[in-house]
Amino acid sequence: IALGDFEGARAVLPQMESALTNMQNSARTPQWVVWSAQTASARARGLVALDAGQFAEAERQFRSAIAANERIVRDEANIVRQADVPPGTWSNLGLLMRGDLARALLRQGRLMEAEVEQRGVLLARLSTHGRYAPETLGAVLGLGDIVFEQGRFAEAERLARVAVESLTTMKVDPASPAI
């Protein structure tokens, strides 16, 4: 999906579902692996639905993915000790999915709900990564989109200027599409 191959992504969804079912039916699969697969599958379905303009379905899938991911986050410290996974992996994924959810809410015209989700993502990104991080800038730009759609153009412009200033401070090439 990240590469824009939405037809390919749609075609792979049944294979993901089959693999998830096999994991769920296997007594040998650790529970956190099943939750991780549920998270990935629901997020993929949400991204495909978002691309197809099925915004309510995208919201439902993102909420399902977030719920599955939260089960992992609650036990993340134990999982990190068992698996070769960096700490914060699932917490970070949860923030990505909350941003996905904000986009689905935005596309449904539920602007205030979208703003609440995206502001939460931005605050978490600022807390964990600081101002000068790509993850934070993505959250700033996402919030900018939402406040722009609300007609709060001056605030949207301020957010865009913060992003440009941060990119400049981070020494991103001025020719970059990010600017």
Side-chain angles (χ1 to χ4, degrees):
I1 293 174
L3 299 175
D5 184 9
F6 295 100
E7 289 305 316
R10 277 187 202 89
V12 170
L13 284 177
Q15 296 169 19
M16 287 183 72
E17 294 301 320
S18 176
L20 175 59
T21 299
N22 290 339
M23 285 182 204
Q24 290 170 323
N25 293 332
S26 172
R28 295 188 327 246
T29 305
Q31 187 59 55
W32 71 268
V33 172
V34 173
W35 292 335
S36 185
Q38 288 170 335
T39 298
S41 179
R43 183 172 189 231
R45 287 190 307 267
L47 291 170
V48 167
L50 195 63
D51 174 62
Q54 300 168 337
F55 306 127
E57 177 61 16
E59 175 192 358
R60 190 177 75 73
Q61 293 298 334
F62 293 141
R63 289 189 188 281
S64 175
I66 290 166
N69 191 66
E70 285 174 354
R71 291 188 296 252
I72 299 170
V73 170
R74 282 193 294 271
D75 198 29
E76 189 164 13
N78 290 329
I79 294 168
V80 166
R81 283 194 294 274
Q82 296 172 25
D84 186 22
V85 180
T89 296
W90 288 283
S91 298
N92 184 55
L93 179 58
L95 292 173
L96 286 172
M97 291 184 298
R98 286 182 58 202
D100 295 338
L101 175 59
R103 283 199 328 270
L105 294 168
L106 172 65
R107 299 295 185 267
Q108 293 178 72
R110 294 162 56 190
L111 304 178
M112 295 308 294
E113 292 172 80
E115 181 178 351
V116 167
E117 279 299 326
Q118 193 63 35
R119 280 193 188 275
V121 170
L122 177 56
L123 290 172
R125 293 293 191 200
L126 286 166
S127 174
T128 57
H129 298 290
R131 179 176 175 178
Y132 300 107
E135 298 86 353
T136 303
L137 295 180
V140 168
L141 293 171
L143 182 59
D145 289 345
I146 294 165
V147 298
F148 180 86
E149 289 299 320
Q150 292 173 347
R152 294 162 44 200
F153 304 120
E155 186 176 349
E157 181 180 352
R158 280 193 305 274
L159 289 166
R161 288 185 187 282
V162 163
V164 169
E165 185 272 326
S166 295
L167 287 166
T168 302
T169 299
M170 294 166 52
K171 302 204 184 315
V172 173
D173 185 337
S176 169
I179 295 180

